[in-house]
Amino acid sequence: MEKRLEGIRVLVTRPRERSEELCFLLEDEGAHVLHVPLLELLPPENPRPLIAAAESIQRYKWVVFASPSAVDALMEALREAGTTARLAQVRIAVVGPRTARAVEGHGLNVAVEAPEGTGASLYEVMRPGLEPEDEVLLPAAEEGRRELEDALREHGARVTRVTAYRSAAVSLPAETQELLQASPPDVALFASPRTAEAFLEVAGRERLGAARLVAIGPTTAAALTRLGLPVATVAERPTPEALVEATIQAIRG
């Protein structure tokens, strides 16, 4: 069977626990994968708001998750508060299939899933079931975008946004810097605006060479454009399979 990425050098910047399936699929297509995690996920500097939300989880009609990391952070807070069972009374909305799988992995049901990997898309599918004055809990990254929160507030929902986690750029080992300089990637995959910013912080745009850039969704694509990085393709869905297809499209033009 034809390997559609035979010999292509692909830079993957997601943390290892989020990218194993993606790397496998790329390698299965013949790609040489350079896996360079750029972000370290850390607990919030002030954990009290997250703990308080977990202690009173039953007051919310909705909990909205934009990432698996937010799911894990809230579930840990619920376990510590002894209120995990109460989450079953709350409607759960998610961005992306990976986040949905993270929720379902805890034995919970997803009420609403965004068809695209954006907060605006999630708001549109939530809107028919969202009443003014609904209490909505939004555990999010400290540096996460505000578009979903703003849309919910404009609708009249009472939104409690708490920091579930934060991210910090990690230094690249000298050997990785040398490898990027000696053999720049043909394609670079970015899965979040923060990852793109971190790459520029720790490596610099010159390390991308003439790589074609693939974004996991429109939000990341817009961030890359704002940073002056041209986007070759955008994945149709925020899934490993869609990222592989976007990589192939980027190479084939």
Side-chain angles (χ1 to χ4, degrees):
M1 188 174 68
E2 176 193 8
K3 291 185 178 292
R4 296 176 293 172
L5 293 172
E6 189 68 56
I8 299 297
R9 298 184 299 276
V10 180
L11 173 67
V12 174
T13 57
R14 302 176 83 175
R16 186 169 299 279
E17 64 272 13
R18 298 187 190 177
S19 56
E20 288 183 355
E21 183 180 358
L22 173 60
C23 291
F24 173 80
L25 292 173
L26 289 167
E27 290 169 350
D28 198 46
E29 289 285 358
H32 298 302
V33 177
L34 175 59
H35 183 243
V36 183
L38 294 169
L39 295 176
E40 178 184 11
L41 300 184
L42 303 169
E45 291 183 318
N46 176 15
R48 185 58 205 166
L50 179 63
I51 294 170
E55 290 172 342
S56 59
I57 193 67
Q58 70 279 357
R59 65 177 276 202
Y60 299 101
K61 183 173 180 179
W62 294 89
V63 175
V64 179
F65 294 113
S67 71
S69 298
V71 176
D72 293 342
L74 180 61
M75 294 306 300
E76 179 60 28
L78 290 167
R79 280 191 290 271
E80 291 182 2
T83 55
T84 303
R86 299 178 190 173
L87 188 58
Q89 306 168 27
V90 182
R91 300 193 74 192
I92 297 176
V94 302
V95 175
R98 289 192 70 257
T99 307
R101 288 197 295 270
V103 169
E104 291 162 354
H106 289 283
L108 299 165
N109 296 320
V110 173
V112 174
E113 179 182 343
E116 300 176 10
T118 65
S121 174
L122 181 56
Y123 167 70
E124 289 301 324
V125 294
M126 285 181 67
R127 185 168 58 175
L130 187 67
E131 300 291 338
E133 306 299 319
D134 276 357
E135 294 274 0
V136 180
L137 176 63
L138 179 57
E142 183 177 62
E143 63 282 355
R145 291 173 60 85
R146 301 277 174 167
E147 60 181 5
L148 176 57
E149 178 185 359
D150 292 344
L152 291 169
R153 290 189 189 279
E154 289 176 11
H155 188 92
R158 297 181 177 181
V159 181
T160 300
R161 181 190 176 110
V162 296
T163 297
Y165 63 97
R166 55 196 171 93
S167 62
V170 298
S171 299
L172 292 185
E175 58 269 25
T176 301
Q177 292 270 19
E178 292 169 3
L179 180 59
L180 285 170
Q181 183 171 1
S183 184
D186 299 303
V187 181
L189 308 185
F190 290 99
S192 71
R194 184 69 185 102
T195 303
E197 294 166 356
F199 187 91
L200 297 184
E201 288 174 27
V202 304
R205 68 186 64 225
E206 65 275 7
R207 291 290 186 264
L208 289 172
R212 298 171 188 181
L213 307 188
V214 174
I216 196 170
T219 300
T220 301
L224 288 167
T225 300
R226 286 196 301 271
L227 292 168
L229 300 173
V231 178
T233 56
V234 181
E236 292 185 0
R237 294 268 290 160
T239 64
E241 293 82 1
L243 277 168
V244 171
E245 292 303 319
T247 301
I248 292 166
Q249 183 182 347
I251 289 296
R252 295 185 173 181

